[in-house]
Amino acid sequence: AQTVTQSQPEMSVQEAETVTLSCTYDTSESNYYLFWYKQPPSRQMILVIRQEAYKQQNATENRFSVNFQKAAKSFSLKISDSQLGDTAMYFCAQGPYGGSQGNLIFGKGTKLSVKP
Amino acid sequence: DAGITQSPRHKVTETGTPVTLRCHQTENHRYMYWYRQDPGHGLRLIHYSYGVKDTDKGEVSDGYSVSRSKTEDFLLTLESATSSQTSVYFCASRLDPYNSPLHFGNGTRLTVT
């Protein structure tokens, strides 16, 4: 069975500093995708970044980057120069490439608080 | 986003009553999903659809049914609401099961009293 584990229920960081959120997963698929979603207090689910498992290069989107370690099945999210607007729940998700379902498996989330 | 609208945004209902939540998307996405979000559980899949009239169960499907008569609409029905179904419900859609991300609606907060 596919699983996604986020071991940090809550984290906090000072504004302008860097924080890393952890995510590990388990899958028997050889090709798959990984995603980080952000959920601010507005409840909206926002895609932050995605990583194709077959790519060795880590994905980057502005201040957000990932450290993808395929052998260790680890997919951490680094937020640089943290801003107050980064305060949110962050969910890691994993899904196979293709298949009839197309579902993503989500972790339980990490609540990030950015302090001024 | 992908133009996904959920209705209602909030609902309070009594135990034992039927409830239908609606999801409408304007992106012609083939795949649609219903998740529930509960503290400490993240998002869990209730049902999904991979085409018109093609649906299947997810991880937590007991007590729920779905229907998809048109590409753009995906309905979630609680046949007889229970307090354990108090939750936030998210609809999502996806173009394909490859590298396209899930696009989410804004959620429905359902309270069963």
Side-chain angles (χ1 to χ4, degrees):
Chain A
Q2 298 175 77
T3 59
V4 176
T5 302
Q6 294 179 249
S7 59
Q8 305 148 316
E10 293 191 36
M11 295 187 72
S12 66
V13 63
Q14 292 296 128
E15 197 175 6
E17 293 187 347
T18 295
V19 63
T20 298
L21 309 183
S22 302
C23 173
T24 59
Y25 60 93
D26 192 16
T27 180
S28 58
E29 301 287 339
S30 58
N31 199 6
Y32 51 90
Y33 280 82
L34 296 155
F35 302 85
W36 278 98
Y37 281 87
K38 168 186 176 181
Q39 187 182 42
S42 67
R43 203 166 76 197
Q44 186 180 4
M45 292 287 288
I46 302 166
L47 177 67
V48 175
I49 199 165
R50 60 179 159 178
Q51 172 81 41
E52 295 89 341
Y54 66 87
K55 287 187 176 180
Q56 291 186 340
Q57 185 174 4
N58 290 324
T60 299
E61 289 286 343
N62 301 314
R63 298 183 294 108
F64 298 88
S65 61
V66 298
N67 183 6
F68 174 47
Q69 302 289 328
K70 189 173 184 178
K73 294 184 178 176
S74 171
F75 182 60
S76 61
L77 175 69
K78 186 172 81 171
I79 305 174
S80 303
D81 185 25
S82 297
Q83 300 176 359
L84 296 178
D86 295 332
T87 292
M89 282 288 287
Y90 287 82
F91 292 97
C92 178
Q94 182 265 333
Y97 183 87
S100 62
Q101 190 181 71
N103 179 40
L104 298 185
I105 303 299
F106 287 83
K108 295 181 179 181
T110 296
K111 185 177 181 180
L112 177 68
S113 298
V114 179
K115 300 185 184 304
Chain B
D1 208 325
I4 300 179
T5 305
Q6 289 184 236
S7 61
R9 182 110 168 112
H10 304 274
K11 186 172 181 65
V12 180
T13 192
E14 292 184 350
T15 298
T17 60
V19 176
T20 295
L21 307 184
R22 290 173 170 75
C23 179
H24 178 80
Q25 54 106 351
T26 59
E27 298 298 313
N28 201 33
H29 286 174
R30 178 183 173 188
Y31 293 80
M32 296 187 75
Y33 308 84
W34 277 106
Y35 290 91
R36 61 177 289 174
Q37 182 181 15
D38 304 288
H41 290 277
L43 279 81
R44 293 180 291 174
L45 182 67
I46 305 171
H47 280 279
Y48 68 98
S49 170
Y50 47 96
V52 174
K53 293 185 169 53
D54 291 323
T55 65
D56 207 346
K57 296 178 180 180
E59 176 187 359
V60 290
S61 61
D62 287 350
Y64 302 95
S65 62
V66 291
S67 65
R68 191 167 180 202
S69 58
K70 297 186 289 185
T71 297
E72 57 266 35
D73 295 323
F74 194 32
L75 305 182
L76 176 71
T77 297
L78 289 66
E79 303 293 344
S80 177
T82 68
S83 58
S84 65
Q85 293 176 312
T86 292
S87 186
V88 177
Y89 292 85
F90 282 96
C91 176
S93 71
R94 195 177 188 191
L95 177 63
D96 59 53
Y98 301 102
N99 66 340
S100 66
L102 282 177
H103 297 272
F104 286 86
N106 287 332
T108 295
R109 179 174 295 278
L110 176 68
T111 302
V112 183
T113 62

